[in-house]
Structures are given as C-alpha cells and as structure tokens.
Amino acid sequence: MTRRSSVPEAEDADRGRLLATAFRLLGTSADAEDAVQEAYVRWFRLASTEREAVRNVDAWFTTVVGRICLDVLGSARARREQYTGEWLPEPRPGSDLASPGAAIDPAERASLDDQVTSALMVVLDSLTPAERVSFVLHDLFGLSFVEVADVVGRSPQAARKLASDARRDIRERKVRGSSAVDHERVVQAFLAACGSGQLTDLVAMLDPSVTLVTDGGGRASMARRPVQGADRVARFMLGIIEKMAREGRVVEPSIEPVDGRAAIVLRESGAAPFVIMLNVVDGVVRDVWIQANPDKLGAWTE
C-alpha cells in the first residue's frame, strides 16, 4: 500500500479562482494566465520542507498571485504609455466568474451586486496598484485585511484604508448607477437609436457629458483619444455605422450579457469586430466603451 506524501500538492489550489482573481486585477486573460503560471513555477521551485510548512495551499497561491499582480500593475502604466490609443479591459461573455461569496461587512463593500461589470473593471484600472489589489482581494474575494496586508506589504490598517479609498472612488464614478433591468432597457434603446440613423434619437439617449473610449490596440482603426459630449459621441457612432455600410460589411448586432450586464456584440463572419459596453446612470448613457482590439475579443471568435 502506497502511503500518500504529507507534502501539499499544487492541485490543492483552486486554479479557476486564481485565474478569476488575476483577471480582475490585471484586466486581460493572457496576463492572468501568465500570473497564475508564474505562481505555479514558484511553487515547484520550493523545497519539500518549504512545501510541508505551507498549511493552506490555496491561501499560499492566492497570496503569491496577488503579489505577482501587484508587481505587474506597477509596471503596467509604463507599458501602456507605449500602447497604441486608449486601453480598456478585456470583456468577458456571460456573467462574471463566480466569486467565493464570503460574508463581508456591508459597510466595507462598494454599492455593487454580486457580479463585476465592465464599468467596474474600467474604474479598477484607474486605481493605484495597491488600492486595486486591496479592494479586489477584500471586497470581491473576502480575504481579511490581515491577509491583504501580507500581499501589499502594508499594515492591516493601511490595507483597510486602501480598500476604503478604492470604494469611495468607485462610488464617485457612479458605477452601477442603474439596475440590471433598467440597464438592458437603455442598451436596447441605444441600439435602436443607432439603427435609426437619426442623430437626434441617439443624442437623446446620451448624458450631455458622455465620454466614448475605444480600444483598437493598433490592430483596428479606432479613435486614439476619448470622444466627449453627446453630439460628438452620437456622430462618432453613426459614422462607424455609415463607414461599415460604405465598405459593404454585413455586421449583425445582438444584445448579450458581457461581464454580467447587457452589451452590444457585433458579429461578422464568425467573429466579433466590436463589443460595445455602456455605463448607464439615471436612465441615460454616461460612458460608451468600444473594445475592437482582436487580441481581447478571442472569446467571440469561432
């Protein structure tokens, strides 16, 4: 009879949860995969005695992935200075990846439901690396501030302050300004207004201070700077539609769940050249995000 070794195994870690954590921290599947893979490399570099000292393998991997992501986030801003145009997180089809659902004091949560939307992912990208890591690990994954402090290299009190600052920024940006039902209703009306070709119909759907951001990554011809104002955003959207029509492109739009909220997916020849996500506040569109970088739309490629 073979006796099982007392040394913890890498398989004891929840890889799916690690990927979900890394994705929320880094914003792309490729970066998340790299971070988790690096954590496994570090695990197998440990001596047997070091592995035996690990009491909770999943907690060890979560801490290491968090530290790797913190380092990546610290260098991401420099890398993005070389990125062509604006950078947006990678959209994910369907509902958000499941989170542990740990009980968290409601006073220490942002005003969010159980899913992570594109709007939240965009706001997360504006936080400092330490704020993002503290917020994601505590508010979304239920780690204690003692555990978060071990990742960010601060005291538990400082980790709590980082998460609180992130929470305040999210509230000020009015993420989740509408219910899922109201959000979908506005998305449907927005798509209908785009299809009408009438500038006034589309302008009526937009907040006067609406901002549109596109991410082509140098792979698709998109605006390299944000477009601001209802009239300019409406003209930009109608211009895209007119350009595709002139080129004879047959693109089928549909409303589908993306990051847990209704979004507009345009399909052409088995792929999605655009995914359009909206931030809806008080019944109008506050933000338009268009992901057109094919490197971030692989989930929609047949």
Side-chain angles (χ1 to χ4, degrees), residues 170-190:
I170 290 168
R171 289 193 180 102
E172 289 175 352
R173 293 282 295 273
K174 294 187 178 180
V175 175
R176 295 292 174 84
S178 63
S179 69
V181 173
D182 288 340
H183 179 92
E184 183 167 2
R185 176 183 56 78
V186 173
V187 171
Q188 290 173 341
F190 178 88

Side-chain angles (χ1 to χ4, degrees), residues 252-279:
E252 295 293 333
S254 62
I255 295 176
E256 304 174 20
V258 174
D259 293 327
R261 286 279 172 121
I264 300 168
V265 178
L266 303 182
R267 283 189 168 80
E268 179 183 31
S269 302
F274 305 116
V275 173
I276 303 171
M277 299 148 287
L278 307 178
N279 184 31

Side-chain angles (χ1 to χ4, degrees), residues 220-222 238-251 266 268-269 273-274:
S221 179
M222 286 279 110
L238 295 179
I240 291 178
I241 296 171
E242 291 171 2
K243 182 175 184 292
M244 289 190 295
R246 289 197 306 270
E247 294 172 350
R249 297 172 64 178
V250 179
V251 179
L266 303 182
E268 179 183 31
S269 302
F274 305 116

Side-chain angles (χ1 to χ4, degrees), residues 90-168:
E90 176 184 333
R92 303 291 291 271
S95 296
D96 181 54
L97 297 172
S99 60
I104 301 174
D105 184 347
E108 294 185 342
R109 287 189 64 102
S111 299
L112 310 171
D113 57 31
D114 292 331
Q115 295 176 330
V116 180
T117 64
S118 301
L120 179 58
M121 291 297 291
V122 171
V123 175
L124 289 179
D125 201 51
S126 70
L127 303 176
T128 68
E131 286 174 344
R132 182 169 185 165
V133 170
S134 298
F135 173 82
V136 168
L137 293 184
H138 177 266
D139 284 51
L140 302 185
F141 285 89
L143 271 67
S144 71
F145 283 119
V146 172
E147 295 170 306
V148 175
D150 191 35
V151 175
V152 297
R154 313 280 182 92
S155 68
Q157 293 76 17
R160 182 187 296 274
K161 177 65 164 54
L162 288 167
S164 176
D165 290 344
R167 224 173 282 127
R168 183 183 65 249

Side-chain angles (χ1 to χ4, degrees), residues 13-121:
D14 185 343
R15 193 172 189 275
R17 185 174 183 272
L18 295 174
L19 285 170
T21 304
F23 177 78
R24 290 184 180 117
L25 289 172
L26 301 178
T28 72
S29 297
D31 286 343
E33 288 277 1
D34 289 345
V36 172
Q37 185 61 33
E38 174 61 22
Y40 277 88
V41 169
R42 295 185 186 186
W43 171 262
F44 288 114
R45 284 177 179 168
L46 296 177
S48 295
T49 53
E50 292 175 308
R51 293 183 202 168
E52 288 175 354
V54 176
R55 295 183 179 182
N56 186 320
V57 175
D58 201 51
W60 184 92
F61 271 95
T62 299
T63 299
V64 172
V65 166
R67 289 173 178 167
I68 292 170
C69 290
L70 185 63
D71 290 340
V72 173
L73 288 169
S75 62
R77 298 187 183 219
R79 287 190 290 113
R80 287 178 191 171
E81 288 179 0
Q82 302 174 352
Y83 192 81
T84 302
E86 297 291 316
W87 190 96
L88 289 172
E90 176 184 333
R92 303 291 291 271
S95 296
D96 181 54
L97 297 172
S99 60
I104 301 174
D105 184 347
E108 294 185 342
R109 287 189 64 102
S111 299
L112 310 171
D113 57 31
D114 292 331
Q115 295 176 330
V116 180
T117 64
S118 301
L120 179 58
M121 291 297 291

